[in-house]
Amino acid sequence: MIGAKIGKTASHGLVNLRNKGVAMAENTPRLRIGMVGYAFMGAVHSHAWRTAHRFFDLPLTPELTAVAGRNLAAVTAAAERQGWKSVETDWRRLVERDDIDLIDICTPGNTHREIAIAALQAGKHVLCEKPLANTVEEAEEMADVARAAAANGVFAMCGFTYRRTPALTLAKRFVDEGRLGEIRHVRAQYLQDWLSDADAPLTWRMDKAKAGSGALGDIGAHSIDTAQWITGSDIAGVSAIMKTFVGERPVGGDLVGLGGKGASDAEKGPVTVDDATAFTARFDNGAIGVFEATRFALGRKNAMRIEVNGSMGAIAFDFEESNVLQYFDGSDDQAAQGFRRIIVTEPVHPYVGNWWPAGHGLGYEHGFTHQVVDLVNAISAGEQPRPSFDDALRVQRVLAAVEASAGDRSTWHAIS
Ligand code: SOE
């Protein structure tokens, strides 16, 4: 089967890479993974753990050792589909097992603190989905434990995967190279529409006790992390509004929790999170920001967008065109100035050289595969992987400030 695939791709020069990958997998030490949760995030993380060493030379080969979930039949089916060797019905067993080196947390936010701390204290590396936690207090505790663990060579990382979308990694490179000059504006939107149907069913993503917040934490957190990371500057203050458009929904959503159709005559339960959040921000470096996160932007499916304008240049990105980075160079001849549409699929672009020939494009799952690559390399080198829990704590503080601001109308000026 592998042979057939190698033959087919020979004209693109992937033969050597694949052969090397197979040889490396046999000779390198293993990094044995225990994953908690197996729905949307579990599926894409599994894909990344399975795939990374086949396209990148890794110093440790990930092994999909065990996956945990409470329902034995469901977790067994997921393990078979996603390629895991064994299952547990209690995540604590994963933490106890001495044949596991890293715990990958793909569960709702209300479980992150307990699992991550137990794993780090048991000497396991941790990859934790975002947002890091449901409250700043939980995130602080997690970051404290992660710092102590790092001193012993045990590392924790938070899954803000958009950092590993090649076009965004390239944008960060441009900012670091000084091409944008002094950063003045950040305009970040994360627009989805899977809740604009009032009959879309209630899931854990609409339950504050489980998810912490709604659009803000689930997708706005990505925008906040991306903005702070690209600009190299933290958000120092915010002014926010939050809105829940549909206050109750039919019960019975699935584990994935994204979309689907509910019955309008079904029993209903309350939505306890924001459907949409918007805020303005001031950055440490003097830039100002405008942010929007919504699941009600009808027509927008996964428009994770960011535009950054500096004194010398600008970048713009939209995940609905995820292989493209727009770049404006203020030093271009004025007559020929304009945003360039860079198709980020050249071998010189971040991560891309290990994939397909120029122009063939990467997708959502590749960010997760690159996350595994960077994490495995950092662990092997004994270096702190980024985003660290401290980086994620800085995002958590912004999430909390946005909620506090939205709840405080004292600076709101009503129009009479
Ligand atoms: C995971 O990184 C994630 O934020 C999901 O939790 C969102 O629901 C998805 O839409 C974007 O990716």
Side-chain angles (χ1 to χ4, degrees):
M1 181 62 197
I2 288 177
K5 255 188 167 169
I6 290 171
K8 224 173 153 190
T9 54
S11 63
H12 294 320
L14 291 178
V15 168
N16 290 339
L17 182 69
R18 288 288 185 88
N19 284 340
K20 208 159 133 205
V22 171
M24 291 227 14
E26 277 157 15
N27 299 331
T28 54
R30 311 272 133 172
L31 182 70
R32 298 160 302 176
I33 314 301
M35 187 176 79
V36 194
Y38 51 83
F40 173 27
M41 280 306 106
V44 69
H45 281 228
S46 301
H47 176 272
W49 290 120
R50 281 196 313 265
T51 310
H53 73 275
R54 298 184 183 279
F55 286 84
F56 293 79
D57 290 344
L58 295 185
L60 304 166
T61 302
E63 182 178 277
L64 284 73
T65 304
V67 57
R70 281 171 299 184
N71 178 320
L72 180 61
V75 74
T76 303
E80 278 166 16
R81 202 170 45 246
Q82 298 170 2
W84 294 88
K85 284 185 162 173
S86 63
V87 300
E88 296 288 352
T89 52
D90 186 341
W91 62 264
R92 290 174 190 80
R93 275 289 302 139
L94 287 188
V95 169
E96 284 161 13
R97 278 173 63 161
D98 56 16
D99 63 344
I100 285 176
D101 306 308
L102 183 148
I103 300 289
D104 183 4
I105 305 171
C106 294
T107 48
N110 63 322
T111 63
H112 290 182
R113 186 197 69 90
E114 194 184 1
I115 303 174
I117 290 178
L120 288 168
Q121 289 179 339
K124 318 276 191 217
H125 307 290
V126 168
L127 170 60
C128 182
E129 256 307 322
K130 44 47 61 184
L132 183 60
N134 280 3
T135 66
V136 169
E137 292 69 30
E138 290 171 353
E140 277 172 346
E141 209 187 326
M142 293 166 78
D144 285 346
V145 173
R147 247 174 273 121
N152 298 320
V154 174
F155 295 110
M157 180 170 128
C158 187
F160 286 111
T161 47
Y162 287 101
R163 291 185 179 209
R164 272 101 190 175
T165 296
L168 284 172
T169 317
L170 184 65
K172 163 77 172 154
R173 186 191 285 177
F174 283 1
V175 171
D176 288 351
E177 287 169 356
R179 291 174 188 251
L180 271 64
E182 182 190 316
I183 305 298
R184 291 170 177 160
H185 284 288
V186 175
R187 220 163 285 109
Q189 299 173 318
Y190 201 142
L191 314 176
Q192 299 180 338
D193 72 353
W194 55 279
L195 280 184
S196 43
D197 177 355
D199 288 335
L202 198 61
T203 71
W204 68 269
R205 288 177 194 269
M206 284 148 260
D207 178 356
K208 189 169 176 59
K210 293 205 172 88
S213 63
L216 172 63
D218 187 32
I219 53 179
H222 280 300
S223 300
I224 295 165
D225 180 68
T226 305
Q228 296 193 137
W229 164 71
I230 284 191
T231 62
S233 176
D234 285 345
I235 293 174
V238 297
S239 177
I241 51 173
M242 300 175 88
K243 176 83 182 172
T244 304
F245 294 109
V246 177
E248 49 177 32
R249 291 181 175 276
V251 296
D254 64 12
L255 262 185
V256 171
L258 287 169
K261 187 81 186 150
S264 50
D265 56 351
E267 184 198 337
K268 294 203 170 170
V271 172
T272 50
V273 298
D274 55 298
D275 287 331
T277 291
F279 66 95
T280 54
R282 292 181 192 280
F283 286 77
D284 275 342
N285 66 359
I288 60 171
V290 183
F291 289 76
E292 188 184 6
T294 176
R295 295 158 164 172
F296 275 69
L298 190 58
R300 301 294 173 204
K301 300 301 167 182
N302 200 44
M304 189 281 192
R305 301 170 171 174
I306 186 162
E307 179 163 321
V308 180
N309 312 100
S311 54
M312 291 162 53
I315 59 94
F317 170 82
D318 181 344
F319 194 81
E320 289 187 349
E321 272 203 289
S322 66
N323 288 283
V324 172
L325 178 69
Q326 301 215 39
Y327 168 55
F328 182 91
D329 182 348
S331 68
D332 278 348
D333 167 13
Q334 202 175 4
Q337 267 183 1
F339 270 97
R340 286 178 214 170
R341 191 170 177 278
I342 304 173
I343 301 177
V344 188
T345 56
E346 299 295 324
V348 295
H349 289 140
Y351 305 107
V352 176
N354 287 54
W355 293 101
W356 319 125
H360 288 67
L362 304 188
Y364 179 68
E365 72 278 22
H366 290 86
F368 292 83
T369 305
H370 303 154
Q371 171 171 270
V372 161
V373 171
D374 291 344
L375 175 58
V376 170
N377 279 322
I379 287 174
S380 167
E383 288 165 6
Q384 173 62 54
R386 305 287 293 273
S388 63
F389 278 14
D390 277 316
D391 296 323
L393 170 59
R394 283 197 290 281
V395 175
Q396 201 79 42
R397 291 194 200 289
V398 179
L399 299 178
V402 167
E403 289 206 78
S405 167
D408 166 15
R409 295 290 191 98
S410 62
T411 56
W412 188 256
H413 291 250
I415 314 297
S416 61

